[in-house]
Amino acid sequence: MVLPLLVLLWSCAARGPASPPEAAVRADAELHPDLVAQSALLRRQVLEPAEGVYVAVGFGLANIIFLEGPTGVVVIDAGEGRAPATEALAALRERTDKPLSALVLTHNHADHVMGGQVFVEAGPPEMPVWAHETTEVRVDEVVHVLREATWLRGQRMFGALLPPERETGDGIGMRLRFATEDIALARPTHTLAEAAVVEAGGLRVELLHAPGETDDQVIAWLPDRRILLPADNVYQAFPNLYTIRGTPPRDPLAWVDSLDRMRDLRPDLLVPQHTLPVLGQEAVQDVLTAWRDAIQFVHDQTVRGMNAGRTPDELAATITLPPHLAAHPWLAEHYGRVPWCVRGVYDGYLGWFDGRASTLEPLPPQERARRYQAAFQAGLPLADQVQAALDLGEWAWAAELAQLLVDADPQDRQARALLARALDGLARGHVNANAVNWYRTEALELRGEVTARVSPPDAAPLDLVDGLPLHAFMAAIPTRLQAEEVQEVDWRALFHFTEEEPSQAEAWYSLHVRRGVAELRRRDAQQAAAWREERAPDLVVTTSARTWKRVASGHEGAVGALASGRLRLEGGIDELLRLQGWLER
Ligand SMILES: [Zn+2]
């Protein structure tokens, strides 16, 4: 049943695997020169960034990487079909004739798995195929309920229907050469949950689960040579935290955490599955740090804006990377885009409703379009058209137009009154309690009769505050950071939470505020000491979890806690106040 469905589904594949993308994208006056340069970078080539590490770039969308050991070759990823895999294998054979020993699939995306059979056929009987334990299920979802939607959207995003003279490249690779008839999927024979060691070809390859671009992402680490293959968790373009072909929201904080674990490995060579390798420990740290900072920045500033009641449209229009990240060569927006990712983060937390009553139940698209046509033909002032709609009891249309007036001037009392009337109209006779409450409340707010407020933290009962986990208080720091205040700051604090009851263990947190981002890490005693050794912190806070929670929630003053000796500071109260000043109240 599945196979005919697949064929039917993918027979509309535009170009198939036929023409290999040998040539770079043709520059034309309509293409951004940086995008042309990016595609030129990703032209077909086999790189050898370290002895026995072969990176087949430009055979398909993703790189196919070969790790040559003393007795064999470990293949990392398989391309999107038989054609790219076969051509990459032929290129390997020009360099070594050692047998294939194992295949590792870094995650479920088609550009990494669909050529696997080519390598299995070329390898020994029962060649191991490694993947995360959830990868196979995700691969099989190509036939799930969204198959048509994701296929149609993918065709547009990857430019599958563009004629060769309009070819643009795909930002992180020359071209996705995907076609149904070219699928040569090899199913995993060995899986891992968190970690595994692959001994093959005389190599020892550590596989680590590192969720990021997908939840099943597996990175490969060669500890002896300090070589890291980060899969799709890093590439030379701004990350697709949200991809417009359509996926569920990707977890930005899990992605940041994976990048931090990669930084902790201190690799000397980074070989990603898209774009080109990075050589040298300092250069690798710079790329990984820029990436984790960019993702965290977008996450934290979106959350901060959400908490301030801003809409996704407003946030997408106003959140921009700090200049040093915007200019970073590994963060150009050739693949992901900051505004899309801001919307993705918003959507991941709060869903599709932007929190404005006028957008809750808009008119159907055709009716809306016809009304706009008629309104432009009438050529009357906007406020008059709102008034006319209100007089006719056309509440949704009145709300739509009145919202434009309010957006143009949020302080315009007349505009706010018109929108309030429209919302009251929408509430009239509505069957849904949530909708009626929202319409009526927002109408009151527009008239200035009520204000929606969050109760201050010190209003919470003390036993509730004492009972909350310490981590909740610490994790709230980065999302409260006023990024614009710390664009030039490079400041470090170490928090040491001492044991106060046998049930509570000691805990350490490091906080590095740097150029628009606050990196918060939980540490153990040894890591905390090493971090302190690396560079003296500007502030060291020593206190109990209970005291810190009470001070942070406003139940106790910092000065009183200092005087009583329950809070100790190295660096002085000025540094604590400095931190406080950078955070939203
Ligand atoms: Zn990929």
Side-chain angles (χ1 to χ4, degrees):
M1 188 58 207
V2 164
L3 197 60
L5 194 66
L6 271 173
V7 173
L8 182 74
L9 166 65
W10 282 329
S11 57
C12 55
R15 257 195 325 240
S19 52
E22 301 273 6
V25 164
R26 268 180 246 186
D28 70 50
E30 291 176 21
L31 277 185
H32 195 295
D34 292 354
L35 188 54
V36 176
Q38 177 83 351
S39 296
L41 200 69
L42 304 175
R43 70 187 180 281
R44 182 184 279 225
Q45 56 198 307
V46 178
L47 302 170
E48 192 178 357
E51 199 189 335
V53 177
Y54 306 108
V55 189
V57 180
F59 288 71
L61 184 68
N63 299 337
I64 297 174
I65 300 174
F66 302 102
L67 304 174
E68 184 186 357
T71 58
V73 176
V74 176
V75 185
I76 312 286
D77 279 349
E80 60 260 37
R82 193 167 281 282
T86 305
E87 292 159 22
L89 181 58
L92 172 74
R93 287 294 168 237
E94 290 169 17
R95 288 157 180 84
T96 174
D97 55 10
K98 285 183 190 161
L100 302 185
S101 305
L103 170 64
V104 176
L105 306 174
T106 62
H107 61 292
N108 67 80
H109 284 167
D111 54 323
H112 300 260
V113 301
M114 291 304 185
Q117 201 56 44
V118 170
F119 300 109
V120 170
E121 286 161 8
E126 296 179 23
M127 183 162 89
V129 180
W130 281 89
H132 187 255
E133 61 186 9
T134 62
T135 295
E136 190 171 12
V137 175
R138 295 281 170 264
V139 170
D140 290 339
E141 281 178 359
V142 294
V143 289
H144 76 347
V145 293
L146 288 178
R147 57 190 181 270
E148 289 88 352
T150 53
W151 177 243
L152 295 172
R153 294 170 67 121
Q155 277 189 325
R156 297 189 183 105
M157 176 170 132
F158 289 113
L161 305 178
L162 297 180
E165 70 277 10
R166 304 286 286 171
E167 201 161 290
T168 316
D170 285 331
I172 53 165
M174 268 300 293
R175 184 205 294 168
L176 182 68
R177 302 169 67 195
F178 185 69
T180 313
E181 59 275 20
D182 203 40
I183 291 176
L185 178 67
R187 292 188 175 271
T189 60
H190 294 60
T191 61
L192 67 138
E194 287 310 314
V197 175
V198 176
E199 308 256 12
L203 290 172
R204 180 190 160 86
V205 182
E206 293 182 7
L207 301 183
L208 304 166
H209 180 217
E213 203 204 52
T214 57
D215 290 341
D216 65 338
Q217 208 79 204
V218 169
I219 61 174
W221 171 236
L222 281 72
D224 310 339
R225 302 178 64 193
R226 312 195 70 77
I227 296 174
L228 178 66
L229 279 61
D232 275 10
N233 282 342
V234 190
Y235 38 75
Q236 191 174 351
F238 186 81
N240 240 358
L241 289 178
Y242 171 77
T243 180
I244 58 173
R245 72 186 157 80
T247 58
R250 291 161 173 178
D251 183 345
L253 295 183
W255 201 335
V256 167
D257 183 59
S258 291
L259 286 160
D260 283 339
R261 284 164 53 212
M262 293 189 232
R263 291 163 75 211
D264 291 347
L265 294 172
R266 303 212 156 266
D268 288 335
L269 173 64
L270 185 76
V271 193
Q273 298 299 139
H274 291 279
T275 70
L276 308 186
V278 184
L279 188 60
Q281 195 175 114
E282 209 177 310
V284 172
Q285 287 302 109
D286 175 66
V287 165
L288 294 175
T289 305
W291 254 62
R292 59 91 57 221
D293 281 1
I295 295 174
Q296 196 193 327
F297 178 88
V298 167
H299 171 269
D300 290 352
Q301 295 307 309
T302 303
V303 171
R304 178 186 164 211
M306 279 162 29
N307 281 330
R310 317 276 307 275
T311 67
D313 282 348
E314 290 170 335
L315 296 172
T318 52
I319 292 178
T320 53
L321 290 180
H324 74 290
L325 294 177
H328 196 284
W330 275 61
L331 290 170
E333 294 176 80
H334 299 314
Y335 197 55
R337 285 274 282 160
V338 174
W340 304 343
C341 297
V342 167
R343 291 180 190 280
V345 172
Y346 186 102
D347 189 47
Y349 280 105
L350 298 182
W352 61 265
F353 179 42
D354 72 1
R356 297 186 305 169
S358 62
T359 69
L360 185 58
E361 294 178 313
L363 291 170
Q366 272 202 329
E367 186 184 341
R368 195 160 159 260
R370 279 199 303 269
R371 283 177 183 271
Y372 269 109
Q373 271 182 327
F376 279 113
Q377 268 160 11
L380 296 171
L382 192 50
D384 293 354
Q385 308 234 23
V386 178
Q387 191 59 60
L390 290 172
D391 292 345
L392 291 168
E394 294 174 343
W395 310 120
W397 179 235
E400 165 132 4
L401 295 183
Q403 184 70 61
L404 295 174
L405 286 173
V406 172
D407 286 349
D409 181 1
Q411 306 311 322
D412 181 341
R413 290 171 63 99
Q414 196 211 346
R416 293 168 69 92
L418 289 171
L419 179 54
R421 275 185 60 199
L423 298 184
D424 278 338
L426 281 166
R428 213 165 291 158
H430 200 298
V431 70
N432 183 280
N434 301 158
V436 172
N437 287 334
W438 199 293
Y439 290 138
R440 286 185 165 175
T441 304
E442 200 175 308
L444 289 177
E445 288 178 287
L446 285 161
R447 294 191 180 103
E449 291 171 26
V450 299
T451 307
R453 270 202 198 91
V454 180
S455 53
D458 63 357
L462 199 54
D463 65 328
L464 174 72
V465 171
D466 287 346
L468 289 170
L470 170 66
H471 190 72
F473 285 83
M474 296 307 289
I477 292 176
T479 56
R480 308 187 79 78
L481 187 69
Q482 302 180 66
E484 62 282 2
E485 302 294 326
V486 293
Q487 299 265 331
E488 299 306 323
V489 167
D490 185 359
W491 183 93
R492 290 179 167 220
L494 183 66
F495 294 81
H496 178 196
F497 296 103
T498 54
E499 191 178 326
E500 65 190 357
E501 296 160 18
S503 61
Q504 285 173 326
E506 274 187 290
W508 289 262
Y509 285 86
S510 63
L511 180 71
H512 188 180
V513 179
R514 64 169 175 262
R515 307 183 81 181
V517 171
E519 178 191 352
L520 180 80
R521 302 276 301 270
R522 223 177 170 144
R523 309 277 183 179
D524 62 25
Q526 210 181 348
Q527 291 165 336
W531 193 75
R532 205 177 164 159
E533 193 66 30
E534 195 179 286
R535 198 180 104 189
D538 299 275
L539 172 69
V540 179
V541 179
T542 307
T543 186
S544 68
R546 170 180 294 220
T547 300
W548 181 254
K549 288 189 283 184
R550 291 183 172 193
V551 169
S553 61
H555 279 86
E556 183 172 353
V559 174
L562 271 172
S564 70
R566 280 174 293 115
L567 174 67
R568 297 199 303 280
L569 301 175
E570 290 171 49
I573 188 133
D574 286 355
E575 294 298 328
L576 186 62
L577 293 175
R578 190 193 303 269
L579 171 62
Q580 201 180 43
W582 291 330
L583 306 179
E584 295 277 7
R585 302 268 161 250

